[in-house]
């Protein structure tokens, strides 16, 4: 009878155990890497319009979105929101109506990037401070005006806002037409908190090529935010003044027309009365 040797079995079990541990560690490392990539992507491309647990901004708060929505729907919407909206999807249509018809831009994400964002949304691990710079710092509206108009260059040498945008109060200087007029933009993006996020991320496709490598500093964000908020108030005051001006203009115009009509018809009316009186005499 041969005695069985347990050593090969022990060695085999040790190899299998080591392989399983290595696979588990590699998987955990991969998940951690994916989660970090998702967090970075969220700060770069999503934080301007969305919070996780901090309330709605330009778009909805995304806390628990993986539980609220079907995973495949979320994947499709992150990948190509324009196509989902164009398809007439009822959820997308409802969200568009709820959030001021501001359509989420197509970020041109790869499937790996979408997967990383989904992994982060499943387990965000708290919110980052991205986008809080402008809201936390005191902004100077005068300096914001100078930054917007290009009188003071942006610190990282990005193109000044006026190259593509105009805003109320800059009529003498003009402004670009590539981007929208930014008068009232703070209100359109849900107030200063939402606008702070936009300035921090500038997620729009036409702006990414300029600002990805030349971001606004937190102080520049704060100054521009203060200027845009101030210009919004000036725009409202100007509109009120304009409405008042139109009121008086219409009133004066109506009175002038009335006097002209009276001047034209009254002499004839007076002569007619005189003729009738003479006829009676």
């Amino acid at each position: 009878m041969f005695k069985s040797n347990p050593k090969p079995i022990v060695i085999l079990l040790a190899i299998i155990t080591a392989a399983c541990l290595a696979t588990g560690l590699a998987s955990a490392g991969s998940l951690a890497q994916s989660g970090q990539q998702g967090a970075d992507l969220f700060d770069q491309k999503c934080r301007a319009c969305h919070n996780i647990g901090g309330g709605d901004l330009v778009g909805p708060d995304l806390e628990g979105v993986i539980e609220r929505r079907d995973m495949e729907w979320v994947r499709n919407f992150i990948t190509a929101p324009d196509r989902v909206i164009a398809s007439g999807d009822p959820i997308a249509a409802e969200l568009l109506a709820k959030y001021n018809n501001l359509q989420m831009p197509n970020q041109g994400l790869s499937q790996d990037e979408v997967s990383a964002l989904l992994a982060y949304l499943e387990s965000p691990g708290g919110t980052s401070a991205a986008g809080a710079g402008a809201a936390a710092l005191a902004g100077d509206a005068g300096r914001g005006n100078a930054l917007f108009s290009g009188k003071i260059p942006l610190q990282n040498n990005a193109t000044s806002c006026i190259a593509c945008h105009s805003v109320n109060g800059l009529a003498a200087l003009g402004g670009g037409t590539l981007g929208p007029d930014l008068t009232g933009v703070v209100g359109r993006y849900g107030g200063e908190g939402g606008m702070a996020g936009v300035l921090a991320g500038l997620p729009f496709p036409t702006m990414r090529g300029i600002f990805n490598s030349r971001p606004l500093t937190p102080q520049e964000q704060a100054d521009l935010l203060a200027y845009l908020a101030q210009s919004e108030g000036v725009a409202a005051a100007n509109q009120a003044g304009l409405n008042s001006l139109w009121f008086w203009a219409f009133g004066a115009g109506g009175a002038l027309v009335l006097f002209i009509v009276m001047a034209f018809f009254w002499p004839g009316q007076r002569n007619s009365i005189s003729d009738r009186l003479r006829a009676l005499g």
Side-chain angles (χ1 to χ4, degrees), residues 5-267:
N5 186 356
K7 287 185 178 179
I9 297 175
V10 172
I11 293 172
L12 180 59
L13 289 173
I15 293 172
I16 292 173
T17 302
C20 290
L21 286 172
T23 302
L25 290 172
S27 176
S30 177
L31 288 173
Q33 184 177 8
S34 179
Q36 184 57 52
Q37 181 191 10
D40 293 341
L41 283 167
F42 189 89
D43 283 341
Q44 293 166 16
K45 300 181 181 295
C46 311
R47 183 72 65 182
C49 299
H50 298 282
N51 255 324
I52 298 181
D56 291 355
L57 291 176
V58 180
D61 188 323
L62 297 183
E63 184 177 37
V65 67
I66 301 300
E67 289 75 33
R68 294 197 308 272
R69 307 289 185 202
D70 177 75
M71 175 70 84
E72 193 60 26
W73 186 92
V74 178
R75 175 180 287 278
N76 290 337
F77 197 82
I78 292 174
T79 302
D82 50 343
R83 290 206 295 267
V84 175
I85 292 169
S87 73
D89 181 88
I91 297 175
E94 180 185 348
L95 289 170
L96 191 64
K98 182 178 179 181
Y99 294 98
N100 300 317
N101 289 313
L102 291 170
Q103 184 169 322
M104 176 175 162
N106 188 323
Q107 302 283 1
L109 299 170
S110 69
Q111 286 303 305
D112 286 344
E113 289 174 325
V114 173
S115 296
L117 276 171
L118 289 171
Y120 174 65
L121 290 173
E122 282 188 292
S123 181
T127 59
S128 77
L137 294 171
D140 184 315
R143 181 176 170 81
N145 184 322
L147 289 167
F148 189 100
S149 65
K151 292 178 182 178
I152 297 177
L154 296 171
Q155 183 172 316
N156 291 320
N157 299 317
T159 305
S160 297
C161 310
I162 199 171
C164 300
H165 300 280
S166 185
V167 74
N168 180 75
L170 287 179
L173 299 173
T177 57
L178 178 62
D181 187 315
L182 297 184
T183 304
V185 70
V186 176
R188 294 200 298 272
Y189 280 93
E192 293 190 17
M195 194 63 212
V198 172
L199 288 169
L202 297 173
F204 311 104
T206 53
M207 302 183 77
R208 286 204 304 264
I210 300 172
F211 289 96
N212 271 1
S213 58
R214 300 177 179 87
L216 296 171
T217 67
Q219 188 59 59
E220 288 171 341
Q221 295 169 36
D223 293 338
L224 286 167
L225 177 61
Y227 169 62
L228 291 171
Q230 182 190 72
S231 69
E232 190 157 313
V234 170
N238 286 349
Q239 185 60 47
L242 184 62
N243 291 341
S244 178
L245 179 62
W246 278 113
F247 173 81
W248 288 108
F250 278 119
L256 180 61
V257 170
L258 181 61
F259 281 126
I260 292 173
V261 170
M262 289 177 63
F264 182 79
F265 287 104
W266 176 248

